[in-house]
Amino acid sequence: PATAPDALGLRNRLTGCNWISRFVYGNGWAWAQDFKGAGKPGGGTENTYLDSVDLMYFAGHGNSGGILFGVGGNTHDGAWATYQDCNMDWGDRDAEWVGLAACNVLADAHKGDWAWCMNGLRLILGFVTTMADVPHGDWFGRYICQGWNMTQAWFKAADALQPHGKIARVLAEDNTYFN
């Protein structure tokens, strides 16, 4: 129930400061294939969706191996998008940033594997640990609109909302992208 205020909060904040929203897909309309490269097993539509926007944001469940779609059994094309599904795919068209408001996706075990998804993408923003079910996107968008860069906005939102012991992480393709 907390994913809608999270994701829609980000969209509402950013459109309120002149960003353009291209699409919003929630629950059964959010598909794993939109995060997968076309040449991967099962074929993905990453170039049509993730890589057609500057910022792609996912709010839902995850673990160090992937992000989970279709909670409640409504999966269109499989339940998971994994780091194997996006190897060298993200950012080769338009995407600059991918925010993953999901538990453990950027945990130490596979942070290097997720980094291999970058192919022009500047940052992957996520969590090392579990995260609290809070409107992270709303606060993330608030800080973006106030002029903070993506890295700062991600960490400021985590500091404001996440309880002690919850750890946010940002992966950059190049050190200059942190700023």
Side-chain angles (χ1 to χ4, degrees):
T3 59
D6 186 348
L8 295 175
L10 175 64
R11 192 267 322 257
N12 294 343
R13 288 283 179 183
L14 294 181
T15 56
C17 67
N18 299 317
W19 283 58
I20 297 168
S21 175
R22 290 210 45 233
F23 49 82
V24 176
Y25 296 120
N27 298 325
W29 291 104
W31 297 347
Q33 73 186 34
D34 299 339
F35 288 74
K36 297 178 181 181
K40 303 303 185 276
T45 55
E46 172 267 343
N47 280 335
T48 303
Y49 290 97
L50 184 144
D51 225 331
S52 71
V53 296
D54 291 325
L55 171 62
M56 175 66 103
Y57 190 78
F58 173 85
H61 293 290
N63 64 35
S64 67
I67 50 179
L68 178 63
F69 293 83
V71 174
N74 187 7
T75 57
H76 169 74
D77 61 333
W80 291 93
T82 68
Y83 53 82
Q84 294 102 332
D85 295 324
C86 61
N87 191 339
M88 295 300 292
D89 285 316
W90 293 354
D92 60 340
R93 291 196 176 188
D94 189 39
E96 306 290 334
W97 310 283
V98 171
L100 302 172
C103 297
N104 304 105
V105 176
L106 297 183
D108 292 340
H110 292 292
K111 72 179 178 186
D113 297 317
W114 283 105
W116 277 104
C117 291
M118 296 180 184
N119 185 20
L121 186 76
R122 293 174 182 233
L123 303 173
I124 300 175
L125 310 112
F127 286 86
V128 174
T129 60
T130 59
M131 63 171 286
D133 255 350
V134 295
H136 188 88
D138 180 43
W139 285 64
F140 177 47
R142 175 184 309 196
Y143 292 125
I144 292 168
C145 291
Q146 289 175 0
W148 298 94
N149 69 40
M150 290 291 172
T151 301
Q152 294 166 330
W154 188 259
F155 286 127
K156 284 183 72 61
D159 287 346
L161 297 171
Q162 297 296 326
H164 179 73
K166 307 296 184 186
I167 302 170
R169 174 172 275 156
V170 175
L171 301 178
E173 189 170 48
D174 183 277
N175 282 339
T176 59
Y177 294 150
F178 283 121
N179 296 315

